[in-house]
Amino acid sequence: MPRSRLHVLPDPFAEGLPVLSGARVRLRAVRPSDDPDLLAVFGDATHLRYWSHGPLADLDAARTYREGIEAGTRDRAFFQWALTRPEADRLVGTVTLADWDRTNRRIEVGFILHPDAKGQGLASDAVRTVLAFAIDTLGVHRVEADVDPDNAASIRLLTGLGFVFEGRLRDRWFTFFDEWKDTAMYGLLAPDLIRGTT
């Protein structure tokens, strides 16, 4: 897409997050009924050992977290979908696009899944689905992922979709566990996305 056409792109978020469907997942906006499931996903400190913030304490914290997700979409700051199974429509994780640089056609991706939902191909299908949306609808050329180097499962998922390791940044994050953590940077160019089914 020529740079001169960027300003005429329609806003795909004018009516909120679009619903996206993958082979195994349905991605939709969060809603108040998701608050208990958000707490289940983001309430366990051990499960969040690779995440960018500490655990949610209770349902009030989950509500505040959801309201922040909704505000992120309204402000075009980030776009965080509820990750659900089509047959159940219950939140079992989230997938996020953030730091959308429209001029340079670049965006970041993040994802998390409840431990009980792992090993079923849901996360890879969700990430592939949101990446296809970013490339095909947002006109993104480059996607970046900031990963804890110890997070082997996420690294396998990303490389399986075509991401390439681009370097390690030392002591980039000071975590909830009061320790410094490095970042492994992975990048994907639009033509390299592996679009096959999960």
Side-chain angles (χ1 to χ4, degrees), residues 107-185:
I107 208 161
E108 294 184 17
V109 68
F111 51 93
I112 190 169
L113 199 63
H114 189 279
D116 291 347
K118 291 183 177 180
Q120 302 166 43
L122 301 178
S124 59
D125 188 36
V127 175
R128 179 183 284 112
T129 299
V130 84
L131 292 177
F133 169 78
I135 292 165
D136 299 338
T137 302
L138 305 184
V140 165
H141 174 70
R142 175 179 167 82
V143 185
E144 297 174 349
D146 170 348
V147 189
D148 187 310
D150 296 327
N151 191 347
S154 289
I155 290 171
R156 280 195 305 273
L157 185 156
L158 292 168
T159 56
L161 292 174
F163 280 80
V164 174
F165 175 68
E166 296 181 337
R168 184 165 177 149
L169 307 179
R170 298 175 299 157
D171 287 358
R172 188 160 190 250
W173 300 107
F174 189 68
T175 73
F176 173 77
F177 298 99
D178 291 332
E179 62 181 352
W180 289 102
K181 293 293 289 186
D182 293 357
T183 280
M185 293 300 301

Side-chain angles (χ1 to χ4, degrees), residues 13-36:
F13 305 106
E15 298 180 8
L17 280 181
V19 174
L20 306 177
S21 295
R24 301 182 183 185
V25 301
R26 181 173 178 265
L27 307 178
R28 58 162 174 80
V30 294
R31 54 195 183 210
S33 60
D34 292 323
D35 290 355

Side-chain angles (χ1 to χ4, degrees), residues 61-140:
R63 175 183 52 77
T64 300
Y65 190 74
R66 171 182 48 79
E67 291 170 349
I69 292 172
E70 293 165 341
T73 300
R74 286 195 305 273
D75 298 341
R76 308 301 189 270
F78 62 92
F79 312 98
Q80 189 166 357
W81 281 265
L83 191 167
T84 74
R85 297 180 179 91
E87 68 277 9
D89 196 35
R90 181 174 179 179
L91 184 149
V92 296
T94 68
V95 60
T96 307
L97 294 174
D99 295 329
W100 183 20
D101 182 339
R102 298 185 75 169
T103 301
N104 295 296
R105 299 168 57 193
R106 182 175 65 239
I107 208 161
E108 294 184 17
V109 68
F111 51 93
I112 190 169
L113 199 63
H114 189 279
D116 291 347
K118 291 183 177 180
Q120 302 166 43
L122 301 178
S124 59
D125 188 36
V127 175
R128 179 183 284 112
T129 299
V130 84
L131 292 177
F133 169 78
I135 292 165
D136 299 338
T137 302
L138 305 184
V140 165

